[in-house]
Amino acid sequence: MSAVRGAARTAPVAVGPAPSGRRRRGRTGPVLTGLAGAWLVLVVAHRLLSGRWWLWLAPELIPPLAFVAVPALLLVAAPLAGRGWRPRTALLALAGLLLGAGLAGLNPAVLRSPPPAPPDALRLVSWNTTVWNATDDPDAFYALLTARHADVYLLQEYKPDDDPVRRDADLARLRREFPGYQVVLRGELVTVTRFPVVGVTALPADPPPGSDWRTDYWEVKSLRTDLRVRGRTVSVYNTHILVPLDLSSPLRELFYDRRHEFFQRRETQYRALARDLDRNPNPLLVAGDLNTSPAMGDLRRLTDRLTDAGRASGSAYPTSWTIAGRRWWRLDWTFVSPGWTVHRYRLRDARDMSDHRMQDVLLSLGGSR
């Protein structure tokens, strides 16, 4: 009898929840590893297809920060995958993080201070005005611009009034607000400069004289002005690349027709700009609303040739596009050739007069950062 009681005391006691816990961990491992692998495949495909295939639309609309946030979360969650799956999850997540980090729009140069500006540094303002002052108080609109006291203004989305009398009055006010400046206008693009203009080129094409404003709007997406700046000729490109998509329903055939059309137009606009940059021996500056996020492959047309002035922004994550009071990501850019030194780059709020922030840049000729 005592032997039976002893045996009863030493018999192992089964713990009920353990098998279900092991089953949960067993399911978590494949799920996390699958997610990490799927994200890595998406990043690789995005690197290969963005800016090259017109149907690669949805991934191009992924918020740029996701290319860092998603693999970072998977990396943090890797220990939950269990012993057998943990290293695979961590390795795939790390690969996705390393491959996608350059698409996130982060600015590692924030850790460095730009060089001090010389007294004769050039002040540049570039701004998508969102249909000029059509819905704004004109006095406040012009006050916002003139308060910057810039040497060169590159303004996008100029929209003349349909009434010829009011259109002429608006142009007269533009010139009156900037005494001593030259005004160059093609379609929606307005360049206002203190420096002498020695040449003007419209890209991708310059419509014939007498063409209406809407024709110029579609045909001229980069306005190059050659300026005489302190004894040197420099080329300044005022650029507004077409949006990448039509906002109609994806259930309609029109959506895909317009998507393909817009892709082709953007290709034409970027190619014309890149060709002109390649054959231009002057110091170069390109600024404007490119409708291109840091994650979009189209940006390679400029990053392969020029340097992003935003490195001098002082922000780890520069943002220029604002919707409903929230800053999302950067669509507005300034790029410079090695002949320029960027001393300051700021993205300034537009007091609700535009969904784009104003690029305010201080730079000089004679060196490179």
Side-chain angles (χ1 to χ4, degrees), residues 126-130 144 156-157 240 243 288-291 319-323 329-332 347-359:
S126 176
W127 184 36
N128 181 334
T129 62
T130 306
L144 179 68
Q156 301 94 47
E157 287 204 10
H240 186 193
V243 295
D289 173 12
L290 304 185
N291 276 308
T319 57
S320 72
W321 183 48
T322 304
I323 294 294
W329 48 78
R330 193 171 169 205
L331 297 179
D332 303 82
L347 288 163
R348 301 187 181 276
D349 288 328
R351 302 178 191 170
D352 297 324
M353 283 187 271
S354 173
D355 56 354
H356 292 261
R357 301 173 77 194
M358 181 184 289
Q359 298 184 86

Side-chain angles (χ1 to χ4, degrees), residues 32 66 68-80 89 93 97:
L32 286 175
V68 165
V70 170
L73 287 173
L74 289 167
L75 197 57
V76 170
L80 302 177
T89 302
L97 181 61

Side-chain angles (χ1 to χ4, degrees), residues 22 49 74 84 105 109 133 209 212 217 232 268 292 302 348 368:
R22 284 195 294 270
L49 299 176
L74 289 167
N133 61 7
D212 62 21
Y217 175 90
R232 299 181 65 179
T268 299
T292 305
L302 295 174
R348 301 187 181 276
S368 58

Side-chain angles (χ1 to χ4, degrees), residues 22-270:
R22 284 195 294 270
R23 282 196 296 272
R24 283 196 298 272
R25 287 195 296 273
R27 291 193 297 268
T28 301
V31 168
L32 286 175
T33 302
L35 288 173
W39 182 259
L40 178 59
V41 169
L42 184 145
V43 174
V44 171
H46 187 78
R47 286 281 192 182
L48 294 174
L49 299 176
S50 179
R52 297 187 176 98
W53 188 34
W54 68 274
L55 275 177
W56 193 254
L57 167 62
E60 288 193 328
L61 302 181
I62 294 174
L65 275 180
F67 287 94
V68 165
V70 170
L73 287 173
L74 289 167
L75 197 57
V76 170
L80 302 177
R83 185 178 303 171
W85 296 95
R86 187 182 306 138
R88 279 176 275 187
T89 302
L91 185 61
L92 290 168
L94 182 60
L97 181 61
L98 293 175
L99 193 59
L103 304 172
L106 299 175
N107 177 29
V110 70
L111 301 174
R112 295 190 294 114
S113 297
D120 62 348
L122 183 151
R123 293 184 59 122
L124 173 90
V125 162
S126 176
W127 184 36
N128 181 334
T129 62
T130 306
V131 204
W132 205 242
N133 61 7
T135 58
D136 306 316
D137 173 23
D139 293 339
F141 175 82
Y142 282 109
L144 179 68
L145 285 172
T146 56
R148 299 269 45 96
H149 302 290
D151 299 301
V152 179
Y153 292 85
L154 306 180
L155 308 174
Q156 301 94 47
E157 287 204 10
Y158 171 72
K159 186 181 185 301
D161 199 290
D162 291 332
D163 183 335
V165 175
R166 286 189 296 211
R167 181 170 62 244
D168 292 343
D170 186 57
L171 283 173
R173 176 163 188 180
L174 174 62
R175 293 185 169 92
R176 191 168 62 249
E177 292 285 348
F178 293 97
Y181 289 75
Q182 289 185 254
V183 177
V184 182
L185 190 153
R186 291 288 191 282
E188 59 150 327
L189 303 176
V190 180
T191 296
V192 184
T193 171
R194 289 185 193 271
F195 301 109
V197 177
V198 297
V200 176
T201 305
L203 301 168
D206 197 353
S211 59
D212 62 21
W213 175 84
R214 297 186 190 283
T215 299
D216 292 352
Y217 175 90
W218 284 103
E219 296 300 328
V220 181
K221 288 303 178 182
S222 288
L223 177 59
R224 167 184 163 182
T225 51
D226 296 336
L227 309 178
R228 197 66 182 165
V229 180
R230 300 182 181 96
R232 299 181 65 179
T233 299
V234 304
S235 296
V236 175
Y237 295 78
N238 182 359
T239 300
H240 186 193
I241 300 296
L242 184 68
V243 295
L245 75 161
D246 179 73
L247 297 178
S248 59
S249 169
L251 300 179
R252 299 174 57 196
E253 185 178 354
L254 175 64
F255 175 86
Y256 299 95
D257 291 342
R258 296 297 298 276
R259 169 60 181 143
H260 188 260
E261 176 193 349
F262 283 23
F263 177 86
Q264 295 296 335
R265 284 184 176 273
R266 282 172 62 91
E267 277 285 289
T268 299
Q269 292 158 18
Y270 264 119

